[in-house]
Amino acid sequence: MGSYANNNLLKGEKVEYEAYLHWKIFVRLSGLLTLFIYPLVLRKTSEFVITNMRVIIKKGWISRYTFEMNLNKIETVNVDQSFWGRIFGFGTITIVGTGGTREEAQNISKPLEFRRKFMEVSA
C-alpha cells in the first residue's frame, strides 16, 4: 500500500483495494526518452485506493495532487476503455460525485476491477 494512503487512514478505516498505473506508461515516448525513469517515478508516486470509507487518489512527488471523497458522496464510477485497453487491461476511471464533482484517472490497470470493488464496498 502507498505511503500517503497508509499515513492518512482514519480511525477504523481499512484499505479494501489498491490500483496501479498500467505498464503501458513505460512504452510511451516519455519513457523511452528518460530511460524509463519518468514512468517509474510516476508509477511509484501515484496511488489509487478504495477504503471502507472513501476513495483516495494521490499523484505526484515534488508537487502533490490529492483527491479524496467519501463513498456516500460518490454517485458513480465510470470506466472508459479503448480497444487496446480492453485487450491489455487498462483504462480511464472517472469518479462522479454529488454536486457534479468529477475526477479522472488515466492508464489505470484493471479499471473494471476497481469499479467492481467500489460497488462491493459502497453497497
Side-chain angles (χ1 to χ4, degrees):
M1 174 178 32
S3 61
Y4 178 81
N6 191 31
N7 292 335
N8 290 292
L9 291 177
L10 303 172
K11 186 176 182 178
E13 188 174 24
K14 64 178 182 163
V15 173
E16 298 289 340
Y17 183 75
E18 183 171 8
Y20 301 95
L21 288 174
H22 192 264
W23 57 263
K24 145 190 163 90
I25 64 172
F26 287 93
V27 294
R28 296 189 312 194
L29 185 59
S30 62
L32 298 173
L33 292 176
T34 61
L35 303 174
F36 306 109
I37 293 171
Y38 175 72
L40 184 63
V41 169
L42 190 63
R43 187 170 178 156
K44 293 289 185 187
T45 60
S46 299
E47 300 178 32
F48 310 94
V49 178
I50 299 173
T51 71
N52 59 333
M53 296 180 178
R54 59 191 169 151
V55 171
I56 302 170
I57 296 175
K58 184 267 234 188
K59 302 173 191 174
W61 176 40
I62 295 172
S63 68
R64 179 183 298 172
Y65 170 79
T66 60
F67 172 82
E68 301 177 22
M69 186 175 281
N70 292 337
L71 294 178
N72 60 358
K73 299 291 183 187
I74 297 175
E75 290 181 357
T76 187
V77 175
N78 296 324
V79 175
D80 289 328
Q81 280 186 300
S82 65
F83 172 75
W84 294 112
R86 290 198 52 171
I87 290 174
F88 291 111
F90 67 89
T92 299
I93 297 169
T94 305
I95 298 171
V96 180
T98 56
T101 306
R102 297 177 68 86
E103 179 61 29
E104 189 174 279
Q106 298 177 346
N107 299 319
I108 303 299
S109 185
K110 303 177 185 173
L112 293 174
E113 189 174 334
F114 185 94
R115 182 175 64 187
R116 182 181 54 78
K117 199 55 148 171
F118 167 78
M119 298 297 225
E120 289 175 0
V121 171
S122 64

